[in-house]
């Protein structure tokens, strides 16, 4: 086998191109990924990624947990463990879920390597190529990547300031069924949506469940941000209202630290066994060390107090971002999230978030273009700003720089006015509803 490499010209032809499985076609570098490389330069203010501010987690809390794990349970922590996860941690996970109204059995909790792996396993279990997954418009870029990798047909459903729109869901299901499509599940992020920032209202929750139940559509409820509310707690989880029809996903990434890579699924009892088998096939077992460390942290540390302190940090950053937008970019539209990490911004009709990004990076500010959050590349009139990681001062600086970029872009467009559109519209036809105006 001779590898065809022409690295001198920057070309790297993959000699195995003809060997890839069809599903590998869905694996292409996301915009977020490409951005991380540029945005990690220290001079760039990154409003792009969704990294939690782990510096707000006191070192002693983590060190104490790690030391105790090694002192008291070293050999277990360093060993393989159960494919379903450490029983003590699964009990503690039940207590956490109880905060959002969920009661479940420890038997139905499956610990995973981040909730990202749970997304992967559930998709692997349910999706044949061409099966439909319904997802909010917009939706989490990492979920879109997983769904693509299993060749799902991702269909977006309209969302407004109260979350997923039940009537749009009904219409989407009827339309797709009319086309003979096989709809497997609804993927939804009901609390402090990534990237939309909105929370599904309490009134809509039973209605969404009812629609899915009537149509035999499984619900995949992804809830990594639910405990990070700035004002009042979120409404009860979808899973708390339907044990048989909802797979619930949770994570320690945003309320503790993503470096441990521990998340979980609470599956309907009927599904749990297959989920565990799929997890074992993929990774044998989740990290014993990480699970025991988190279990120890939950036992010994004031973890609720720590979440409260995270809330305070993120609330202040949200306030700073909104105030800066009001001051410097009043011509844009945005929602004011009551928790989580993200503000979803609408641009005036003449601007294109994807085309504008290189200019933004030149001005030393990064954001995620809206196109990352739609399966068909729509979303050019939106962008996502994250307030979780940069300090309030850097948020202010970043928004000032963004204003320079946007004003410069508009001046440029004014110069070329009358010469036709600079960027073609890429609206695809597999979006059920247009992106929401979430101001
Ligand atoms: N779901 C959503 C909506 C997310 O925003 C993220 C992380 N950005 C994940 C799942 C994955 O989180 P983790 O694997 O770290 O638990």
């Amino acid at each position: 086998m001779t590898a065809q490499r022409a690295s001198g010209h920057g070309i790297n032809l993959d000699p195995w191109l003809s060997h890839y499985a069809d599903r590998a076609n869905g694996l292409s570098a996301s915009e977020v990924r490409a951005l991380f490389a540029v945005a990690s330069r220290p001079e760039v203010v990154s409003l792009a990624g969704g990294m939690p501010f782990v510096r707000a987690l006191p070192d002693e809390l983590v060190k104490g947990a790690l030391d105790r794990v090694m002192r008291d349970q070293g050999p277990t922590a360093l060993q393989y463990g159960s494919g379903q996860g450490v029983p003590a941690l699964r009990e503690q996970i039940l207590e956490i879920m109880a905060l959002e109204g969920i009661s479940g059995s420890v038997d139905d909790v499956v610990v995973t390597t981040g909730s990202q792996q749970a997304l992967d396993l559930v998709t692997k279990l349910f999706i044949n190529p061409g099966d439909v997954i319904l997802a909010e418009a917009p939706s989490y870029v990492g979920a879109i990547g997983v769904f693509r990798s299993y060749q799902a047909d991702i269909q977006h459903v309209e969302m407004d300031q109260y979350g997923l729109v039940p009537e749009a869901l009904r219409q989407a299901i009827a339309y797709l069924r009319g086309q003979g499509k096989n709809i497997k599940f609804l993927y939804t992020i009901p609390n402090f949506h990534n990237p939309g920032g909105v929370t599904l209202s309490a009134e809509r929750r039973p209605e969404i469940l009812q629609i899915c139940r009537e149509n035999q559509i499984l619900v995949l409820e992804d809830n990594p941000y639910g405990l990070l509310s700035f004002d009042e707690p979120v409404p009860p989880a979808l899973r708390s209202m339907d044990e048989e029809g909802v797979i619930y996903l949770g994570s320690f990434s945003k309320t503790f630290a993503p470096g441990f890579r521990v998340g979980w699924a609470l599956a309907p009892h009927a599904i749990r066994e297959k989920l565990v088998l799929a997890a074992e096939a993929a990774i044998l077992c989740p990290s014993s060390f990480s699970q025991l460390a988190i279990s120890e942290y939950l036992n010994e540390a004031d973890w609720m107090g720590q979440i409260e302190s995270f809330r305070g940090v993120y609330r202040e950053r949200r306030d700073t971002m909104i105030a800066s937008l009001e001051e410097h970019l009043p011509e844009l539209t945005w929602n004011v999230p009551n928790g989580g990490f993200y503000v979803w911004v609408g641009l005036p009709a003449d601007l294109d978030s994807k085309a504008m990004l290189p200019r933004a990076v030149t001005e030393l500010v990064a954001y995620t273009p809206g196109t990352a959050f739609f399966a068909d590349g729509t979303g050019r009139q939106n962008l996502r700003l994250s307030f979780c990681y940069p300090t309030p001062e850097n948020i202010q600086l970043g928004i000032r720089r963004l204003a320079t970029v946007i004003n410069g872009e508009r001046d440029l467009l004014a110069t070329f006015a009358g010469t036709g559109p600079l960027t073609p519209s890429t609206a695809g036809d597999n979006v059920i509803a247009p992106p929401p105006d979430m101001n």
Side-chain angles (χ1 to χ4, degrees):
M1 180 76 225
T2 44
Q4 297 168 21
R5 254 170 175 261
S7 51
H9 301 285
I11 305 165
N12 180 5
L13 294 177
D14 182 349
W16 301 105
L17 212 52
S18 62
H19 283 51
Y20 284 111
D22 291 345
R23 74 184 80 90
N25 291 333
L27 297 173
S28 55
S30 79
E31 273 132 305
V32 174
R33 191 191 174 96
L35 272 171
F36 268 135
V38 186
S40 60
R41 296 206 319 252
E43 65 275 24
V44 176
V45 172
S46 178
L47 307 173
M51 289 190 298
F53 188 65
V54 289
R55 281 173 209 270
L57 189 61
D59 268 3
E60 324 80 74
L61 286 187
V62 181
K63 275 196 197 127
L66 298 182
D67 287 350
R68 286 192 300 276
V69 166
M70 285 316 290
R71 190 192 63 202
D72 303 335
Q73 307 179 74
T76 316
L78 300 178
Q79 193 51 276
Y80 291 112
S82 142
Q84 189 169 353
V86 167
L89 180 64
R90 287 192 276 127
E91 294 277 3
Q92 290 163 313
I93 285 172
L94 282 183
E95 286 168 33
I96 294 172
M97 289 190 294
L99 298 173
E100 292 183 49
I102 299 173
S103 62
S105 156
V106 72
D107 278 352
D108 297 332
V109 177
V110 182
V111 179
T112 53
T113 301
S115 53
Q116 188 70 23
Q117 193 208 5
L119 275 172
D120 186 86
L121 295 175
V122 170
T123 313
K124 185 188 240 174
L125 283 184
F126 287 100
I127 296 300
N128 288 319
D131 285 348
V132 170
I133 298 173
L134 299 170
E136 284 125 358
S139 189
Y140 166 49
V141 58
I144 292 176
V146 171
F147 301 158
R148 273 205 184 119
S149 76
Y150 288 100
Q151 299 163 280
D153 177 359
I154 305 162
Q155 295 285 346
H156 290 289
V157 182
E158 186 187 353
M159 189 165 61
D160 63 17
Q161 71 267 38
Y162 305 109
L164 190 68
V165 178
E167 194 44 40
L169 179 62
R170 258 190 217 100
Q171 283 174 15
I173 294 169
Y175 172 78
L176 293 163
R177 288 260 160 90
Q179 305 243 308
K181 302 268 189 177
N182 195 1
I183 308 172
K184 289 289 179 65
F185 61 79
L186 165 70
Y187 169 69
T188 178
I189 307 157
N191 301 318
F192 316 128
H193 192 276
N194 178 6
V198 297
T199 293
L200 182 63
S201 68
E203 297 72 42
R204 283 187 182 175
R205 292 183 184 225
E207 197 179 348
I208 300 281
L209 286 170
Q210 180 64 23
I211 297 169
C212 289
R213 215 177 291 126
E214 277 165 9
N215 287 284
Q216 293 215 308
I217 294 171
L218 193 59
V219 176
L220 184 52
E221 175 179 27
D222 188 10
N223 186 29
Y225 304 100
L227 294 179
L228 294 177
S229 59
F230 303 151
D231 314 305
E232 50 194 52
V234 293
L238 295 169
R239 167 72 195 211
S240 72
M241 299 170 221
D242 185 343
E243 284 191 14
E244 295 308 316
V246 181
I247 304 179
Y248 174 97
L249 308 186
S251 176
F252 289 105
S253 291
K254 321 291 173 173
T255 50
F256 183 38
F260 288 98
R261 306 304 301 126
V262 176
W264 69 91
L266 176 66
H269 192 69
I271 292 171
R272 192 265 327 201
E273 191 184 359
K274 279 218 188 299
L275 195 58
V276 174
L277 292 171
E280 287 174 356
I283 55 160
L284 303 181
C285 67
S287 158
S288 306
F289 187 81
S290 285
Q291 291 180 84
L292 290 175
I294 292 184
S295 181
E296 188 59 37
Y297 169 79
L298 295 171
N299 261 339
E300 296 295 328
D302 174 14
W303 61 273
M304 288 287 279
Q306 182 53 42
I307 291 179
E308 195 52 49
S309 109
F310 277 131
R311 283 185 190 130
V313 169
Y314 296 134
R315 188 191 293 113
E316 185 195 359
R317 290 172 185 207
R318 186 263 328 248
D319 290 345
T320 304
M321 180 168 276
I322 298 297
S324 301
L325 284 168
E326 278 165 358
E327 186 182 348
H328 299 290
L329 284 163
E331 68 275 31
L332 307 189
T333 59
W334 58 83
N335 63 317
V336 180
N338 296 321
F341 287 0
Y342 310 106
V343 175
W344 182 241
V345 173
L347 296 175
D350 52 350
L351 294 184
D352 176 330
S353 62
K354 194 169 179 181
M356 200 171 69
L357 187 59
R359 191 187 172 97
V361 173
T362 316
E363 294 288 343
L364 305 180
V365 60
Y367 58 80
T368 312
T371 46
F373 308 101
F374 292 91
D376 64 350
T378 50
R380 285 173 180 262
Q381 254 172 272
N382 291 96
L383 52 90
R384 187 191 73 179
L385 298 178
S386 312
F387 51 81
C388 43
Y389 194 74
T391 59
E393 296 69 39
N394 273 340
I395 290 174
Q396 287 168 334
L397 178 61
I399 299 293
R400 279 203 302 277
R401 287 176 180 170
L402 188 61
T404 309
V405 175
I406 287 179
N407 294 332
E409 197 80 357
R410 299 201 87 186
D411 289 348
L412 198 69
L413 286 167
T415 311
F416 286 100
T419 59
L422 292 179
T423 47
S425 160
T426 57
D429 56 10
N430 72 332
V431 167
I432 302 296
D437 173 4
M438 282 186 274
N439 190 17

